[in-house]
Amino acid sequence: MDMDQLLAEVADDVRPSLGTGRVADYIPALARVPPNQFGMAIACLDGQHAAIGDAQTPFSIQSISKVFTLAMVLKAQGPRVWDRVGREPSGTPFNSIVQLEHEAGIPRNPLINAGAIVVTDHLIGNRTADQTVDNVTAFMQARSGSADVSVDREVAQSESDTGSRNRSLAHFMAAFSNLKNPVEQVLSAYFRQCALALTCEQLAQAGLFLANGGRDPRTDEQVITAEQCRRINAVMLTCGHYDGSGDFAFRVGFPGKSGVGGGILAVVPRQAAIAVWSPRLNRSGTSWTGSQALERLAARTGWSVFG
Ligand code: GLU
């Protein structure tokens, strides 16, 4: 299959949808991003790669970072994190607080905000937020093969300035003793991991280990175990798009994780990692055109984890 041609066809398919959806405006720095951009990159396990559109423009990966911090926590500390966070789809928006009270401060899964905040707290352990952010940044640089991956300080500050909702989630979990470090320390790391800026090309490379049983095919490093990799992909498939996760699995058919910056990282086990970016979002906070593009790519390739 010619990957350049595949992406050109997908880009043609989705061009009419580029004006649909709304950018995330609850983080003011994200509301300022020109909304009609579209980029897509694919990295295949056989070494083929291709990109189209704005695939070299860095964007805020936001919640896509949650997949990488989960991988880092599992790698460093094994399955203990599952004592503090579940792995069921929430069926609620990304920043919902309703289930936390019923479920005694244990978030449903690590890809909703509450769950990701717990994962970041676990990752911090006895370190400082700065050290943890340095580690996450270094991990993203290593996985993407790009030294210029960094945190966009303006986006991180903008989210912190308007972060009452995430502070509420964190304080609520602290009240149930499910946060070990002070709320502001954990959120300072969480806001910065969300503000990491990558291009589609870098993000597709960074996701390759998830398509390859946990082994980075570029460096040959076993980043996480094959079992951990399967579990992360399972959680992405069932929980990667909040209350739109079922629809994404139905339409696209392989694991993905959205971010409110308009990026999606998708993983086709044993085939490829795909990053797509277009800032306008659907009601679940997933890129409108990005999810359309992945649906078209799945239709054109026949790739699916469902056979
Ligand atoms: N940083 C965002 C928040 O916590 C992440 C949400 C997302 O990307 O889905 O609100």
Side-chain angles (χ1 to χ4, degrees):
M1 197 181 316
D2 182 321
M3 292 298 150
D4 287 307
Q5 191 187 336
L6 172 67
L7 293 195
E9 288 171 0
V10 168
D12 278 348
D13 289 345
V14 301
R15 197 156 289 122
S17 79
L18 267 181
T20 313
R22 294 190 49 194
V23 295
D25 50 11
Y26 73 101
I27 300 176
L30 294 184
R32 292 195 282 274
V33 175
N36 288 348
Q37 301 183 80
F38 171 79
M40 192 168 191
I42 184 165
C44 301
L45 291 187
D46 64 8
Q48 282 194 80
H49 54 92
I52 196 162
D54 302 307
Q56 279 92 28
T57 305
F59 64 91
S60 190
I61 67 168
Q62 291 294 315
S63 285
I64 302 169
S65 66
K66 296 169 179 173
V67 173
F68 295 95
T69 49
L70 178 61
M72 289 177 74
V73 143
L74 290 172
K75 178 183 175 67
Q77 307 185 33
R80 283 189 301 131
V81 69
W82 299 121
D83 296 340
R84 300 176 58 191
V85 62
R87 44 205 186 228
E88 288 296 342
S90 66
T92 57
F94 65 100
N95 57 4
S96 173
I97 202 164
V98 290
Q99 285 164 347
L100 273 181
E101 172 133 44
H102 290 298
E103 296 170 7
I106 307 287
R108 272 285 173 102
N109 68 68
L111 300 183
I112 51 175
N113 285 10
I117 290 168
V118 166
V119 168
T120 297
D121 180 43
H122 208 76
L123 191 62
I124 292 173
N126 297 323
R127 295 176 301 171
T128 65
D130 287 353
Q131 286 166 334
T132 307
V133 174
D134 286 349
N135 279 172
V136 178
T137 306
F139 186 78
M140 296 308 290
Q141 290 171 339
R143 299 285 67 80
S144 63
S146 310
D148 64 351
V149 166
S150 62
V151 172
D152 182 328
R153 303 260 154 200
E154 190 195 333
V155 172
Q157 187 60 49
S158 181
E159 184 167 0
S160 182
D161 291 345
T162 55
S164 301
R165 188 87 189 187
N166 283 322
R167 285 193 175 83
S168 305
L169 294 171
H171 279 291
F172 205 70
M173 292 188 291
F176 281 103
S177 304
N178 197 18
L179 222 56
K180 308 294 178 213
N181 291 292
V183 164
E184 284 306 325
Q185 183 186 355
V186 179
L187 289 180
S188 145
Y190 172 77
F191 292 144
R192 282 182 280 168
Q193 80 179 52
C194 287
L196 278 160
L198 275 81
T199 68
C200 286
E201 284 192 332
Q202 291 168 334
L203 188 60
Q205 293 291 335
L208 263 182
F209 75 104
L210 293 169
N212 193 39
R215 180 180 291 272
D216 187 330
R218 289 175 317 103
T219 62
D220 218 28
E221 182 188 340
Q222 190 73 43
V223 180
I224 50 175
T225 67
E227 182 184 303
Q228 289 167 339
C229 180
R230 281 194 292 274
R231 293 191 157 156
I232 291 172
N233 286 337
V235 173
M236 283 173 81
L237 184 80
T238 52
C239 311
H241 303 270
Y242 315 117
D243 48 345
S245 298
D247 189 57
F248 187 90
F250 182 85
R251 292 197 292 122
V252 176
F254 40 80
K257 179 71 201 94
S258 63
V260 291
I264 306 173
L265 172 64
V267 173
V268 188
R270 288 177 291 281
Q271 295 282 357
I274 304 147
V276 60
W277 170 60
S278 194
R280 292 181 187 271
L281 308 176
N282 67 19
R283 279 190 320 180
S284 304
T286 294
S287 171
W288 184 288
T289 303
S291 60
Q292 301 273 330
L294 290 168
E295 185 176 358
R296 293 306 305 148
L297 182 137
R300 288 186 175 279
T301 55
W303 288 344
S304 170
V305 296
F306 298 110

